[in-house]
Structures are given as C-alpha cells and as structure tokens.
Amino acid sequence: MAKDTDNTIIEKIKAEIENFDRQSEAQDIGRVVSIGDGVAEIDGLSEAKMMEMVLFDDSSNKSLEEAMNSDGVLYGLVLNLEEDIVKTVILGDSSRVSEGMLARSTGRVLSVPVGDALLGRVVNALAEPVDGKGAIKSKQFNPIEREAYSVLDREAVSEPLHTGIKAIDAMVPIGRGQRELIIGDRFTGKTTIAIDAIINQKNEPEETRPLCIYVAIGQKESKTARIVQQLEEVGAMEYTVVVTAPASAPAPMQFLAPFAGAAIGEYFMDSGRDALIIYDDLSKQAVAYRELSLLLRRPPGREAYPGDIFYLHSRLLERAARLNQKLGGGSLTALPIIETQEGDVSAYIPTNVISITDGQIALDSGLFNQGLMPAIDVGNSVSRVGSSAQTKAMKKVGGSMRVELAQFRELEAFMQFAQDLDETTKKRIDSGRRLTELLKQKNGEPIHFALQSLVIYAGVNGYLDNVPADKISRLEAKLKDFFTGQHASLIETVTKEKALSEESETTLKEALKAFESANKDLYVTE
C-alpha cells in the first residue's frame, strides 16, 4: 500500500515537471533557486535580456497578461546574465519572494509611464504615484535605458536657461541642453539652487517654459515633502514632476530613479519642448549601485565601486541634449548634484562626474559660513558653454564681474597679512565687497533676468561706488522696487529684445541718477 502511495507521488512530481517544462518552452519560465538581500537567483530563464522585467508569480494557472494585470504585481530586474542562472534585483518587498517561486520572463525592458499626466505629481522610481492623488492615466511608456542621441541629431547649445540666481546667470550661465554639475559639501545650498531654478521658470513665457523633473535620491522623505510644499505654494508644481526614491527605499529603486526621471524628461524633449531635470544627488545613486553590484558578486574596484560606475553616470547624463530642428528642436537640461567630503573634488565620484558634464557650479562651505549665499566659489566654477548661453543683455553687464570677483578673493586673502594697502588695492577690495553683497540672494526668491541685468549694470558701472557695503542689500531691494514700479516699460523692453540697446542704456542711466537723488541716505557724500 505504501509502495502505491510512493508511486503516485512520483507520478505527480513527474507530471508537474513535464507541465513546467512545457510552460517554460512557451513562456520562458524559471524558478527561484535562492533569495537573499533583495537579489533572486533564477534557473531556467534562457531567453532573458539585460534590464528586462521578470514577473514573480506563485500561481502557474494564470497567463502572463493576467498575472501582469493583477493586483500586487511584483517585478524583478535582470542585472546579471550568468552561465546557468539569471540574477535579478527585486523591485519591491523581497519578503514576498521565496525559493521555488515561479519567475516569468515578460519580454519587456523596464519602462515607465510618461506624458503630461505626470505634471504636478509625485511618483516613485517606477513612475507609480505616491502622493495619494489617484492613478496616473498614461498610454505611452518609455524605456528607462535608452541610447543617447548622436552628435548629428544635436544642435549647439545657444539658448539660455535662466536660474533666477544673479551669480549663476551672470558668471556661470546654463544653456538649454547643457549638463551643469552642482558640487559641494553638505549644507552648502546645492538643493536650494536647483529648486530656485525650478521656481524661476514661472518667469518664462508659458509657451517656451521648460518643464521640470526633480529626482530625489536617498533623501529624507520630510525634505522631499517640504520641497513639494514649497513648489505648490509658489505654483511651480503645475509644470513639475517629482520622482522620489527616499533613503528608506531599497537600493534598486535609488539606482533606477534617475533613469526614470530621464525617461520622463525625454518624452518632453521628443515632443519638441524644453525640459530641466535635477538629480539630487548622484553620490547616493553611486552608493546604491555599489551596494547592488557587491550583492550581485561583481568584482569591486576603487573605493569598492564597480568598474562601470563611470559608464553608469555617463550614459545617464549623455541623454541631456538640444535636438536639431528635424527632430523637433526640444531640449533636456541636466543639473546633477554631487556631495563632496571636506571640499574634496578630487575624490573618485566627483572627478568622474566633472569629466562628464559641461562645467560645474562649485559651492564653498567657508563662504557659506561667512553668510554668502549662494556660496559660489568663482575660481572653481565654470561653464564650458559660456557666454553663448547668455542673452546679450546679461553678457554686456556680467562680462567683467567674474574676473573682478576672482581678483577680489585673492586680494582679500592677501589682505590678512598686509597692514598698509595702496589706494588702488583698497578701491578694488571695496568694489569686490560691494559686488559680493550685490550677489547675495535669499532662498526661494529668484529674479527675472531683465531685472538682474539692470541691477548688475548699476553694480559694475560705478553707480554703487558711494554706497557702503553693509547698505547694499537695502539699496538693492529699493532699486528692484524702483525699476518694477516706475520703469516697468524698461524691463519689458529688455525682456523682449534680450539685449541692452543704446536707447535702453540711456534710459537706464537716467533712471539710476534719479534713484540716487531720491535715496541720498544710502549714499556716502564726500
């Protein structure tokens, strides 16, 4: 009797194996042979491709389509193709995957929903809503990994992307389609610059306004919530998508978030529009990728990072481009953020990203602690696109400022050791201090480029020479009110022409003289 029971069990096992083999041939189905640390090893997926989605399913009765459309779907991402097994990282709760579970090949490279429906929403690394505002209806899906456009598909970067920050727009201009790195230690204002750039797009005409994607990687959820609230309060969320992979999210989600953001941004670029994407920050993505690579048993290299860490960031940032008119003329501008330790820009990840981007905005903790905000280190900041990404008005007024400030920083350091200074050096130091005060800017208060041009013109053309450095901020506030109130037509003219014509310059000089007469209390009379 026992022998019959054993035979029955053996027959059942054989039937299950035959059934599994038939399904495997038809659908390319495998089984999980081991699971640990969010990585599943799968046997049997002979047709699997890199970056393909794998569906984990504990039922063999459903078809692939039924399983993919059911609730609580759990996917894995193929990252290692080995001789006998496929290694996948689990995109979700790894406790739901167990040894022996079925894993189905979907035949689809990991893709995310894209479209205008995402504007105003907060989504995760798979573009699934996490803001409690309901499902996102999108018919189009873009692969998160895509080959960047070739050189022949691109056009030279020549149109400015205004950040609303005087120091950047005047000295380190950013063009539409550029990749400009923001680099600095913790708490030096990197995110503030990025958010101000998003807010400032409200000052752009609606038809040419860049749509924005903010990717928060490994950040505190409270910080991301504050940023979303700030954007909502100023009305910037209507043209912004926030992609979040918080510190509490698994490493695969932090690794994928920037690629998901790039896929969303490429949709806008491909439709002939301009887009701005901020990666905050790629240091944390590199750490997440290092964690994944070590779990996948890839050989570690320098600082335990895998050998392809440079390729990871280059293939991401190369997707930023300005397309030629044949492809619609859209653009994707990337502002990656990198966090340094003790200002060490020569570390592995910072040097990697610096060599990929078209320049960097370097922030200095020493300047930040002195109260200079934004704490931009003029000497280490550069835009390789340069003045070709500036309006003629800004180019005219900001051309000499960079050199003057760099000289001032050197003289200021020298001044600590010198007791007696000649008159010329004193004037240069006083001028540098006034310019430094003029470039200070409060968080969340970006300035329209035309108004920036008028204010900076006053600073670099001697109209503030008789103003003490400690009164510059008061004078600037009054000067902005003066221009917006009494000379709004001048701002409109500069905005329309994007240049400071002779006629506008004459009007500006007269306005500055009138302002000085009306505000003598701010000037030093000899």
Side-chain angles (χ1 to χ4, degrees):
M1 189 75 177
K3 196 172 184 181
D4 290 342
T5 307
D6 290 344
N7 287 336
T8 306
I9 293 169
I10 290 167
E11 289 299 322
K12 281 184 179 179
I13 292 170
K14 282 182 178 179
E16 281 185 18
I17 291 170
E18 285 174 10
N19 183 43
F20 176 71
D21 287 342
R22 281 196 301 273
Q23 287 186 348
S24 297
E25 287 173 16
Q27 296 184 20
D28 196 21
I29 296 178
R31 281 194 188 274
V32 177
V33 293
S34 73
I35 174 75
D37 296 317
V39 175
E41 295 185 5
I42 303 169
D43 180 31
L45 295 181
S46 58
E47 301 296 319
K49 300 183 285 287
M50 276 293 284
M51 300 300 289
E52 183 183 350
M53 289 192 293
V54 172
L55 176 70
F56 293 105
D57 188 17
D58 52 8
S59 170
S60 60
N61 298 322
K62 298 177 186 174
S63 68
L64 180 61
E65 287 301 319
E66 286 174 337
M68 290 178 71
N69 292 322
S70 59
D71 294 331
V73 184
L74 184 63
Y75 289 107
L77 180 67
V78 176
L79 284 182
N80 267 29
L81 297 172
E82 299 181 7
E83 191 173 350
D84 299 316
I85 58 167
V86 169
K87 284 185 180 177
T88 65
V89 292
I90 299 162
L91 304 176
D93 183 7
S94 58
S95 64
R96 290 170 53 194
V97 180
S98 57
E99 289 183 17
M101 182 181 277
L102 291 182
R104 306 190 191 199
S105 181
T106 63
R108 300 181 188 177
V109 173
L110 183 58
S111 304
V112 294
V114 296
D116 290 341
L118 273 79
L119 293 171
R121 302 299 300 271
V122 183
V123 298
N124 64 14
L126 301 177
E128 298 167 339
V130 293
D131 53 6
K133 294 181 180 178
I136 295 172
K137 294 178 182 178
S138 177
K139 294 180 181 178
Q140 186 172 334
F141 285 74
N142 272 8
I144 64 161
E145 284 270 29
R146 196 175 88 172
E147 192 174 336
Y149 282 100
S150 71
V151 174
L152 296 175
D153 294 329
R154 300 175 183 235
E155 208 168 87
V157 174
S158 58
E159 195 175 343
L161 186 137
H162 295 118
T163 63
I165 299 168
K166 291 170 288 187
I168 294 175
D169 292 343
M171 297 186 294
V172 198
I174 300 169
R176 299 192 183 195
Q178 190 177 343
R179 300 154 300 177
E180 183 79 5
L181 173 63
I182 302 172
I183 189 167
D185 287 1
R186 289 189 73 196
F187 304 119
T188 50
K190 302 185 295 297
T191 301
T192 299
I193 287 175
I195 298 305
D196 281 358
I198 292 176
I199 294 171
N200 186 61
Q201 302 318 309
K202 274 195 79 70
N203 291 325
E204 297 294 319
E206 195 170 339
E207 60 275 9
T208 59
R209 177 186 296 160
L211 301 166
C212 303
I213 303 104
Y214 174 73
V215 185
I217 312 154
Q219 305 291 337
K220 290 181 181 176
E221 291 181 75
S222 57
K223 177 185 174 181
T224 307
R226 279 198 308 272
I227 288 169
V228 172
Q229 184 181 358
Q230 183 185 1
L231 294 175
E232 283 177 341
E233 285 172 357
V234 297
M237 272 304 285
E238 64 188 36
Y239 55 82
T240 304
V241 183
V242 176
V243 181
T244 178
S248 58
M253 301 298 262
Q254 294 184 42
F255 156 65
L256 290 172
F259 290 101
I264 294 167
E266 280 175 332
Y267 165 80
F268 299 126
M269 176 173 67
D270 291 341
S271 60
R273 291 178 281 180
D274 295 315
L276 166 66
I277 185 163
I278 289 142
Y279 303 111
D280 189 10
D281 64 59
L282 292 187
S283 306
K284 293 183 175 67
Q285 190 211 15
V287 170
Y289 187 59
R290 174 171 64 182
E291 183 182 332
L292 280 181
S293 298
L294 293 173
L295 289 172
L296 291 165
R297 299 290 186 269
R298 294 180 181 176
R302 181 176 164 189
E303 296 177 29
Y305 287 104
D308 64 340
I309 192 77
F310 178 88
Y311 179 52
L312 171 78
H313 287 150
S314 65
R315 72 178 190 264
L316 172 69
L317 295 172
E318 283 294 336
R319 290 163 75 173
R322 186 184 180 200
L323 301 182
N324 59 33
Q325 293 305 312
K326 286 182 183 177
L327 293 171
S331 72
L332 179 61
T333 309
L335 295 182
I337 294 174
I338 288 287
E339 185 180 297
T340 53
Q341 305 291 329
E342 298 292 328
D344 183 14
V345 295
S346 64
Y348 186 32
I349 301 301
T351 49
N352 272 355
V353 183
I354 284 171
S355 63
I356 297 165
T357 51
D358 306 313
Q360 69 273 347
I361 298 165
L363 302 179
D364 183 75
S365 55
L367 295 174
F368 185 86
N369 294 332
Q370 290 172 27
L372 177 59
M373 289 175 271
I376 295 174
D377 182 348
V378 180
N380 286 327
S381 299
V382 64
S383 171
R384 296 190 185 104
V385 173
S387 58
S388 58
Q390 276 182 310
T391 56
K392 289 180 180 178
M394 191 60 79
K395 198 186 300 187
K396 185 172 184 176
V397 301
S400 62
M401 183 183 284
R402 183 187 177 85
V403 177
E404 196 168 335
L405 274 176
Q407 289 175 344
F408 163 66
R409 294 265 183 267
E410 287 183 17
L411 287 171
E412 193 179 34
F414 171 73
M415 195 178 71
Q416 298 173 13
F417 307 102
Q419 293 180 349
D420 297 321
L421 298 172
D422 61 87
E423 202 60 36
T424 307
T425 307
K426 278 182 183 176
K427 281 184 178 178
R428 187 165 283 176
I429 287 171
D430 289 341
S431 175
R433 283 177 176 159
R434 283 191 292 271
L435 276 181
T436 301
E437 288 295 320
L438 189 65
L439 291 177
K440 284 185 179 179
Q441 202 162 331
K442 289 182 180 177
N443 175 14
E445 295 183 9
I447 305 168
H448 188 272
F449 88 90
L451 187 55
Q452 283 186 52
S453 303
L454 303 182
V455 170
I456 292 171
Y457 181 93
V460 297
N461 285 283
Y463 288 93
L464 306 183
D465 284 358
N466 294 329
V467 182
D470 59 351
K471 289 186 178 180
I472 289 290
S473 58
R474 277 176 57 205
L475 180 136
E476 187 200 357
K478 285 192 172 186
L479 191 59
K480 286 191 289 189
D481 290 341
F482 173 74
F483 282 133
T484 52
Q486 299 182 36
H487 292 276
S489 58
L490 179 60
I491 295 174
E492 286 175 18
T493 303
V494 175
T495 303
K496 188 177 179 181
E497 296 176 353
K498 295 184 178 179
L500 202 58
S501 63
E502 286 185 19
E503 187 181 338
S504 297
E505 193 171 354
T506 303
T507 306
L508 176 56
K509 286 176 179 177
E510 290 171 359
L512 288 168
K513 285 177 184 175
F515 176 80
E516 186 175 348
S517 300
N519 294 276
K520 288 182 178 177
D521 57 312
L522 295 172
Y523 292 80
V524 176
T525 52
E526 295 181 2

